[in-house]
Amino acid sequence: MGTTPLGTAPRDEQLQLLAVAQLDADIARLRRDDVRHPLRASSAELMNRVGAQMNAIDGNAQQLKSTDSELAALSEQTDALVNVIREKKQLLQAGTGMDSRGLLALQADIDAQHAKLDALSEREFELLERADSLGKRAVQLAHQLAELKEKLLAEQVNLENAVTDIRTHMENLAAQRESLYAPLADQLKREYERAADGGGYVVIGVHPNGVSTGGIELSPIELHRMKNADPETIWLSDEYDCIVVLLDS
């Protein structure tokens, strides 16, 4: 890794810049933890389940409403048919103005109406069973929805507490960072911000043996040049476009 000198800044401030970089890394990690917190995903999943449950409740209610409407219509048909059969039976019993053929035809008609009534009764029984099943289903769905909402509320409270802890920690670190960063030399700040904008390494500390905090090793010649230069020299990595600080140990 080659380096280029970029002016000077107090050595203690350069070392302080390493602490700033670490705090910035910690703040960035906490920001990711906030955005990607597992409780966000589980809360979103529970919200989707609540929505699906509410849709299921609405669908069940529509089916129950449709069944009740059909039952009401069927009841009217049954009542009307019962009246028709009653009137025809009265005619059959009176037998007025009818010969044997007419009476037989009337009896056949009454039998046919009875068959219709039986079919209506069977259908009514089916609808009553469906309405009962849908009613029980409505109670079950409502109970499940209440449980899901309770879980969601608990999850949201846990998420809110977790996020509050993360953001409080971030604010504390940001305050520490500002206290370290504010007094630094302007050129050091400019180089730091420029390196930070690059999105890669920002500050690398180099140990006396040439190994850096970023896992990158300086050549012996480069290390010798840095050690024998002005201690306040600001060094810039040619390959990584970041600040390089020579460490004491």
mmCIF file of all heavy atoms in Angstrom, residues 14 57 72-73 81 98 100 113 117 135 139-140 146 148 151 164 184 187 198 217 233-234 239:
data_model
loop_
_atom_site.group_PDB
_atom_site.id
_atom_site.type_symbol
_atom_site.label_atom_id
_atom_site.label_comp_id
_atom_site.label_asym_id
_atom_site.label_seq_id
_atom_site.Cartn_x
_atom_site.Cartn_y
_atom_site.Cartn_z
ATOM 1 N N GLN A 14 -4.913 13.123 14.919
ATOM 2 C CA GLN A 14 -4.973 12.024 13.960
ATOM 3 C C GLN A 14 -5.375 10.722 14.662
ATOM 4 O O GLN A 14 -6.186 9.947 14.150
ATOM 5 C CB GLN A 14 -3.619 11.855 13.262
ATOM 6 C CG GLN A 14 -3.235 13.026 12.361
ATOM 7 C CD GLN A 14 -2.019 12.717 11.512
ATOM 8 O OE1 GLN A 14 -1.905 11.617 10.968
ATOM 9 N NE2 GLN A 14 -1.104 13.682 11.397
ATOM 10 N N ILE A 57 -62.872 -12.838 8.027
ATOM 11 C CA ILE A 57 -64.088 -12.499 8.783
ATOM 12 C C ILE A 57 -65.117 -11.847 7.872
ATOM 13 O O ILE A 57 -66.311 -12.176 7.926
ATOM 14 C CB ILE A 57 -63.732 -11.571 9.965
ATOM 15 C CG1 ILE A 57 -62.978 -12.367 11.045
ATOM 16 C CG2 ILE A 57 -64.985 -10.934 10.561
ATOM 17 C CD1 ILE A 57 -62.437 -11.518 12.174
ATOM 18 N N ALA A 72 -84.497 -16.706 4.149
ATOM 19 C CA ALA A 72 -85.704 -15.872 4.209
ATOM 20 C C ALA A 72 -86.564 -16.066 2.964
ATOM 21 O O ALA A 72 -87.798 -16.198 3.061
ATOM 22 C CB ALA A 72 -85.303 -14.403 4.357
ATOM 23 N N ALA A 73 -85.911 -16.092 1.796
ATOM 24 C CA ALA A 73 -86.648 -16.294 0.551
ATOM 25 C C ALA A 73 -87.271 -17.680 0.520
ATOM 26 O O ALA A 73 -88.419 -17.862 0.055
ATOM 27 C CB ALA A 73 -85.714 -16.108 -0.641
ATOM 28 N N LEU A 81 -96.274 -22.220 -0.622
ATOM 29 C CA LEU A 81 -96.587 -23.571 -1.107
ATOM 30 C C LEU A 81 -97.512 -24.302 -0.145
ATOM 31 O O LEU A 81 -98.419 -25.047 -0.559
ATOM 32 C CB LEU A 81 -95.280 -24.353 -1.303
ATOM 33 C CG LEU A 81 -95.382 -25.684 -2.040
ATOM 34 C CD1 LEU A 81 -96.022 -25.495 -3.420
ATOM 35 C CD2 LEU A 81 -94.005 -26.321 -2.191
ATOM 36 N N MET A 98 -116.316 -31.694 -9.839
ATOM 37 C CA MET A 98 -115.273 -32.500 -10.450
ATOM 38 C C MET A 98 -115.691 -33.953 -10.519
ATOM 39 O O MET A 98 -116.299 -34.492 -9.584
ATOM 40 C CB MET A 98 -113.968 -32.394 -9.641
ATOM 41 C CG MET A 98 -113.258 -31.056 -9.780
ATOM 42 S SD MET A 98 -111.665 -31.035 -8.898
ATOM 43 C CE MET A 98 -112.255 -31.066 -7.207
ATOM 44 N N SER A 100 -114.379 -38.046 -11.421
ATOM 45 C CA SER A 100 -113.288 -38.850 -10.879
ATOM 46 C C SER A 100 -111.948 -38.502 -11.543
ATOM 47 O O SER A 100 -110.912 -38.478 -10.894
ATOM 48 C CB SER A 100 -113.585 -40.343 -11.065
ATOM 49 O OG SER A 100 -113.770 -40.635 -12.458
ATOM 50 N N GLN A 113 -97.005 -30.992 -5.486
ATOM 51 C CA GLN A 113 -96.706 -29.850 -4.614
ATOM 52 C C GLN A 113 -96.030 -30.314 -3.329
ATOM 53 O O GLN A 113 -95.136 -29.635 -2.802
ATOM 54 C CB GLN A 113 -97.992 -29.083 -4.297
ATOM 55 C CG GLN A 113 -98.699 -28.475 -5.494
ATOM 56 C CD GLN A 113 -97.810 -27.504 -6.245
ATOM 57 O OE1 GLN A 113 -97.020 -26.766 -5.656
ATOM 58 N NE2 GLN A 113 -97.919 -27.529 -7.585
ATOM 59 N N LEU A 117 -92.482 -29.291 -1.765
ATOM 60 C CA LEU A 117 -92.332 -28.862 -0.376
ATOM 61 C C LEU A 117 -91.231 -29.649 0.328
ATOM 62 O O LEU A 117 -90.458 -29.090 1.113
ATOM 63 C CB LEU A 117 -93.668 -29.053 0.354
ATOM 64 C CG LEU A 117 -93.733 -28.541 1.802
ATOM 65 C CD1 LEU A 117 -93.473 -27.043 1.838
ATOM 66 C CD2 LEU A 117 -95.098 -28.867 2.423
ATOM 67 N N GLY A 135 -71.906 -19.337 11.598
ATOM 68 C CA GLY A 135 -71.970 -18.617 12.871
ATOM 69 C C GLY A 135 -70.869 -19.042 13.820
ATOM 70 O O GLY A 135 -70.226 -18.209 14.467
ATOM 71 N N VAL A 139 -67.402 -16.857 15.244
ATOM 72 C CA VAL A 139 -66.900 -16.772 16.622
ATOM 73 C C VAL A 139 -65.430 -17.187 16.679
ATOM 74 O O VAL A 139 -64.598 -16.531 17.328
ATOM 75 C CB VAL A 139 -67.743 -17.672 17.555
ATOM 76 C CG1 VAL A 139 -67.128 -17.721 18.955
ATOM 77 C CG2 VAL A 139 -69.183 -17.159 17.627
ATOM 78 N N GLN A 140 -65.113 -18.270 15.966
ATOM 79 C CA GLN A 140 -63.732 -18.758 15.944
ATOM 80 C C GLN A 140 -62.784 -17.730 15.316
ATOM 81 O O GLN A 140 -61.706 -17.455 15.847
ATOM 82 C CB GLN A 140 -63.671 -20.068 15.150
ATOM 83 C CG GLN A 140 -62.288 -20.690 15.087
ATOM 84 C CD GLN A 140 -62.257 -21.925 14.202
ATOM 85 O OE1 GLN A 140 -63.008 -22.038 13.248
ATOM 86 N NE2 GLN A 140 -61.386 -22.861 14.541
ATOM 87 N N ALA A 146 -58.602 -11.618 17.749
ATOM 88 C CA ALA A 146 -58.254 -10.992 19.034
ATOM 89 C C ALA A 146 -56.872 -11.455 19.498
ATOM 90 O O ALA A 146 -56.072 -10.657 20.004
ATOM 91 C CB ALA A 146 -59.309 -11.331 20.081
ATOM 92 N N LEU A 148 -54.394 -12.539 17.546
ATOM 93 C CA LEU A 148 -53.393 -11.949 16.653
ATOM 94 C C LEU A 148 -53.131 -10.490 17.005
ATOM 95 O O LEU A 148 -51.980 -10.036 17.010
ATOM 96 C CB LEU A 148 -53.854 -12.057 15.198
ATOM 97 C CG LEU A 148 -53.726 -13.433 14.543
ATOM 98 C CD1 LEU A 148 -54.379 -13.430 13.169
ATOM 99 C CD2 LEU A 148 -52.262 -13.840 14.418
ATOM 100 N N LYS A 151 -50.995 -10.339 20.068
ATOM 101 C CA LYS A 151 -49.599 -10.643 19.738
ATOM 102 C C LYS A 151 -48.948 -9.465 19.030
ATOM 103 O O LYS A 151 -47.799 -9.116 19.305
ATOM 104 C CB LYS A 151 -49.528 -11.884 18.844
ATOM 105 C CG LYS A 151 -49.830 -13.199 19.553
ATOM 106 C CD LYS A 151 -49.717 -14.355 18.579
ATOM 107 C CE LYS A 151 -50.040 -15.683 19.253
ATOM 108 N NZ LYS A 151 -49.977 -16.816 18.294
ATOM 109 N N THR A 164 -36.080 2.272 20.656
ATOM 110 C CA THR A 164 -35.738 3.361 21.576
ATOM 111 C C THR A 164 -34.346 3.155 22.157
ATOM 112 O O THR A 164 -33.546 4.099 22.240
ATOM 113 C CB THR A 164 -36.771 3.448 22.711
ATOM 114 O OG1 THR A 164 -38.064 3.745 22.155
ATOM 115 C CG2 THR A 164 -36.403 4.530 23.710
ATOM 116 N N LEU A 184 -11.130 18.962 15.861
ATOM 117 C CA LEU A 184 -10.089 18.544 14.928
ATOM 118 C C LEU A 184 -9.745 19.652 13.931
ATOM 119 O O LEU A 184 -10.568 20.523 13.638
ATOM 120 C CB LEU A 184 -10.527 17.294 14.167
ATOM 121 C CG LEU A 184 -10.785 16.031 15.007
ATOM 122 C CD1 LEU A 184 -11.215 14.879 14.117
ATOM 123 C CD2 LEU A 184 -9.554 15.647 15.809
ATOM 124 N N GLN A 187 -8.363 20.725 7.955
ATOM 125 C CA GLN A 187 -7.896 19.891 6.849
ATOM 126 C C GLN A 187 -8.137 18.416 7.136
ATOM 127 O O GLN A 187 -8.503 17.647 6.258
ATOM 128 C CB GLN A 187 -6.401 20.122 6.581
ATOM 129 C CG GLN A 187 -5.910 19.309 5.362
ATOM 130 C CD GLN A 187 -4.469 19.603 5.012
ATOM 131 O OE1 GLN A 187 -3.804 20.369 5.694
ATOM 132 N NE2 GLN A 187 -3.984 19.007 3.929
ATOM 133 N N GLY A 198 -16.410 8.401 -0.100
ATOM 134 C CA GLY A 198 -16.021 7.359 -1.060
ATOM 135 C C GLY A 198 -16.665 6.020 -0.773
ATOM 136 O O GLY A 198 -16.730 5.152 -1.645
ATOM 137 N N GLU A 217 -1.219 -4.549 4.687
ATOM 138 C CA GLU A 217 0.164 -4.447 5.164
ATOM 139 C C GLU A 217 0.954 -3.447 4.334
ATOM 140 O O GLU A 217 0.908 -3.471 3.107
ATOM 141 C CB GLU A 217 0.836 -5.817 5.122
ATOM 142 C CG GLU A 217 2.182 -5.835 5.818
ATOM 143 C CD GLU A 217 2.727 -7.246 5.977
ATOM 144 O OE1 GLU A 217 1.954 -8.202 5.761
ATOM 145 O OE2 GLU A 217 3.912 -7.378 6.317
ATOM 146 N N THR A 233 2.421 14.654 9.892
ATOM 147 C CA THR A 233 2.049 14.511 8.477
ATOM 148 C C THR A 233 0.738 13.720 8.345
ATOM 149 O O THR A 233 0.554 12.684 8.997
ATOM 150 C CB THR A 233 3.148 13.780 7.692
ATOM 151 O OG1 THR A 233 4.355 14.537 7.788
ATOM 152 C CG2 THR A 233 2.766 13.637 6.227
ATOM 153 N N ILE A 234 -0.157 14.247 7.514
ATOM 154 C CA ILE A 234 -1.388 13.521 7.190
ATOM 155 C C ILE A 234 -1.087 12.664 5.963
ATOM 156 O O ILE A 234 -0.681 13.176 4.914
ATOM 157 C CB ILE A 234 -2.550 14.483 6.868
ATOM 158 C CG1 ILE A 234 -2.822 15.414 8.050
ATOM 159 C CG2 ILE A 234 -3.815 13.701 6.509
ATOM 160 C CD1 ILE A 234 -3.821 16.510 7.739
ATOM 161 N N GLU A 239 -3.977 3.524 -2.794
ATOM 162 C CA GLU A 239 -4.872 2.477 -3.294
ATOM 163 C C GLU A 239 -6.305 2.622 -2.770
ATOM 164 O O GLU A 239 -7.266 2.381 -3.488
ATOM 165 C CB GLU A 239 -4.345 1.078 -2.917
ATOM 166 C CG GLU A 239 -3.113 0.641 -3.682
ATOM 167 C CD GLU A 239 -1.828 1.130 -3.030
ATOM 168 O OE1 GLU A 239 -1.892 1.950 -2.078
ATOM 169 O OE2 GLU A 239 -0.772 0.707 -3.468
#
